[in-house]
Amino acid sequence: MRVMVTGSAGFIGGHVVEAVEAAGHDVVGLDVRTGADVRDAGVLDALLPGVDVVVHQAAKVGLGVDVSDLPDYASVNVYGTAVLLAAMARHGIERLVLASSMVIYGEGRYTCALHGEVRPGPRAVTDLEEGRFEPPCPRCGEPLTRAVIGEDARPDPRNAYATSKLAQEHLAANWARETGGSAAALRYHNVYGPRMPRDTPYAGVAAIFRSELEAGRAPKVFEDGHQTRDFVHVRDVARANLAAMSAAARPGELRAWNIASGTPHTVGELAAALAAERGGPEPQVTGAYRLGDVRHIVASPQRALTELGFLAGIGFEQGMKEFAWS
């Protein structure tokens, strides 16, 4: 197949290109770092002829700094995806693999002893200020037990990045319905690994911790360090893209999959693992918080296993040993 990879020079996109080429496919790369912008219809019209599938990784990532980032998230992620989909329709390309994200869920899935499954709203600033980080039951205020979240959960984006990723899914679903194309949305959980961006406010937490350790500083862990995430290695994510490219098509539909390791860890455990591998300093739990953050988000990887045959192969300990020095 001839495959266009947008964001081909980026962290995840570069690994996707390597996996796609290793599988014997031809790659057409598009990346703003090399002067090709996904928002440029003329560039797309020059590159898309002969392409069989588009793997769309190009995006502005991270939680963002403040509301001044809103125009960029809307321009790159939302408008850029719209321009790409319109170009794909012009050129009769019927297969899209979209890099989506677990951030569209907001808080994860919880159960209450009295009320069963619930989805808490945003945490109150007063609770965060006073160190009460666990979301209570939205109906009775009692403590909750976290559970895994599946792809059919109601979206509840809590920041500009999350909103833009959900908008990408909606646009891709519109494109699929109107053209008869098939869209695969891969909802990445916390991706880490070699070539991860560093020293930028848009970097992921793993990269931020590693940069602090490289500078001889203690990683600063927000809240109490017990917030839970699923950390999945970038090479596993690349394999998931390859699997989605060849998955059975669903004409006229968008189908979503969680791309996760299936083994959650706390942010505190992440910091401790990296610090131990590099010989310190020990992480510092600060109690600070960011309003756009959620407390727990843990995925069910079952649908990806059943439908894509995807199972993450790089465990947390192995991945952290490599990442600490990559």
Side-chain angles (χ1 to χ4, degrees):
M1 285 193 293
R2 188 166 176 81
V3 183
M4 173 182 277
V5 179
T6 72
S8 57
F11 165 47
I12 298 175
H15 286 276
V16 170
V17 167
E18 291 172 359
V20 171
E21 289 180 335
H25 303 295
D26 295 326
V27 172
V28 178
L30 183 152
D31 197 287
V32 71
R33 300 167 185 83
T34 59
D37 195 319
V38 73
R39 294 168 290 186
D40 188 328
V43 168
L44 293 170
D45 285 335
L47 295 178
L48 281 173
V51 167
D52 300 297
V53 57
V54 173
V55 180
H56 185 29
Q57 305 291 322
K60 181 180 178 69
V61 300
L63 186 64
V65 177
D66 53 38
V67 293
S68 66
D69 281 324
L70 288 173
D72 276 348
Y73 280 112
S75 178
V76 177
N77 297 358
V78 183
Y79 178 68
T81 298
V83 174
L84 173 64
L85 293 169
M88 290 174 63
R90 285 196 300 276
H91 293 276
I93 299 168
E94 298 180 345
R95 182 67 170 166
L96 172 72
V97 178
L98 171 67
S100 188
S101 174
M102 57 84 179
V103 295
I104 71 165
Y105 296 124
E107 279 290 349
R109 178 171 165 257
Y110 295 82
T111 58
C112 171
L114 284 176
H115 298 108
E117 184 175 329
V118 295
R119 295 288 301 280
R123 294 176 292 174
V125 173
T126 52
D127 286 342
L128 296 170
E129 289 284 355
E130 295 174 9
R132 295 192 296 271
F133 301 120
E134 294 290 340
C137 175
R139 297 179 63 184
C140 65
E142 290 299 306
L144 297 172
T145 301
R146 66 173 176 81
V148 296
I149 195 163
E151 290 86 349
D152 293 331
R154 173 182 54 83
D156 185 18
R158 301 286 176 87
N159 56 62
Y161 175 62
T163 300
S164 72
K165 298 308 285 186
L166 182 57
Q168 285 184 319
E169 287 199 17
H170 287 319
L171 288 169
N174 295 157
W175 164 84
R177 283 193 297 273
E178 294 189 26
T179 66
S182 175
L186 304 184
R187 292 176 181 165
Y188 302 158
H189 285 248
N190 287 66
V191 185
Y192 73 96
R195 308 199 297 267
M196 192 174 186
R198 62 183 70 203
D199 302 323
T200 162
Y202 304 97
V205 65
I208 293 170
F209 288 165
R210 184 182 60 183
S211 293
E212 291 290 287
L213 289 162
E214 286 175 343
R217 298 187 295 265
K220 294 178 176 60
V221 180
F222 281 10
E223 301 186 16
D224 57 4
H226 295 301
Q227 56 271 49
T228 314
R229 301 291 187 270
D230 188 307
F231 299 97
V232 59
H233 197 280
V234 68
R235 289 198 296 273
D236 282 329
V237 170
R239 287 196 304 106
N241 277 269
L242 199 60
M245 280 171 42
S246 55
R250 293 173 175 265
E253 294 183 21
L254 178 141
R255 184 70 167 168
W257 293 277
N258 285 323
I259 303 302
S261 73
T263 306
H265 290 83
T266 68
V267 173
E269 288 171 338
L270 169 70
L274 291 173
E277 184 61 33
R278 294 191 63 97
E282 291 294 313
Q284 176 187 352
V285 177
T286 67
Y289 64 89
R290 298 186 302 181
L291 278 178
D293 277 339
V294 297
R295 182 62 175 174
H296 302 296
I297 178 69
V298 177
S300 168
Q302 187 59 49
R303 181 187 287 183
L305 175 60
T306 301
E307 298 182 1
L308 298 181
F310 170 75
L311 182 67
I314 300 175
F316 184 78
E317 290 186 5
Q318 175 191 351
M320 288 299 141
K321 285 181 181 295
E322 176 193 26
F323 179 68
W325 299 100
S326 63

